Amino acid sequence: MSAPTNGWPYATVLVDGEITVDEDGENQTCECGNDSQTENWCHATSDGRLSWMTDGSSDPSEFAVCPVCGRVYPNAALFAAQGNTAAAIARYDTLDPAFIKDLTQYNHDAYGDPL
Ligand SMILES: [Zn+2]
C-alpha cells in the first residue's frame, strides 16, 4: 500500500480525509460525499493512471480514485476496511490538464461520454 515507484502520474495537492466502507463492502463513501451510487469511483492501475476496467479491479496494488475530489485510495486498504474507514494516500489536482484528459477518456470508455 504505497505510492507508485515512479511517483504519481498527475499533479497532486495536500491530502487529507478518508473513505468509509459499509459492512458488506458494497458502498464506499469518500470524504467529499461521493459514493458508489452517485459519481461512482474510477479505477487506477498500480502506476496510478486512470484506466477503465469492465469488471473492476481486485488487485490490491491498484487504486480507486474519486473523480469528484481526486482522492486516491489503495485497493488493499479498501479491502481491509469493510465496515470501517481507510485514509486517502494522495489527492490528485482535479484541475491538472493531464488528469482531466484521462478522466474524459475514462468516462468515454466507461459510459460512452463524448470525448
Ligand atoms: Zn471524493
Side-chain angles (χ1 to χ4, degrees):
M1 184 192 319
S2 58
T5 336
N6 298 321
W8 298 106
Y10 312 112
T12 56
V13 295
L14 197 65
V15 63
D16 64 351
E18 57 189 17
I19 193 169
T20 303
V21 183
D22 71 3
E23 290 293 336
D24 57 17
E26 286 296 310
N27 195 22
Q28 299 155 355
T29 307
C30 184
E31 182 74 27
C32 74
N34 172 45
D35 67 11
S36 309
Q37 264 94 56
T38 51
E39 293 290 327
N40 214 332
W41 294 90
C42 290
H43 165 254
T45 58
S46 57
D47 64 3
R49 286 192 178 279
L50 297 179
S51 173
W52 165 246
M53 282 181 72
T54 313
D55 298 324
S57 170
S58 58
D59 185 336
S61 73
E62 298 185 325
F63 302 97
V65 177
C66 175
V68 178
C69 67
R71 284 185 175 86
V72 181
Y73 301 95
N75 276 355
L78 297 181
F79 300 154
Q82 205 158 316
N84 212 324
T85 60
I89 62 162
R91 185 172 182 178
Y92 291 144
D93 180 352
T94 54
L95 300 176
D96 177 10
F99 179 82
I100 293 170
K101 179 172 178 287
D102 282 4
L103 183 60
T104 303
Q105 180 69 49
Y106 187 99
N107 287 334
H108 174 76
D109 295 345
Y111 312 115
D113 288 5
L115 284 176

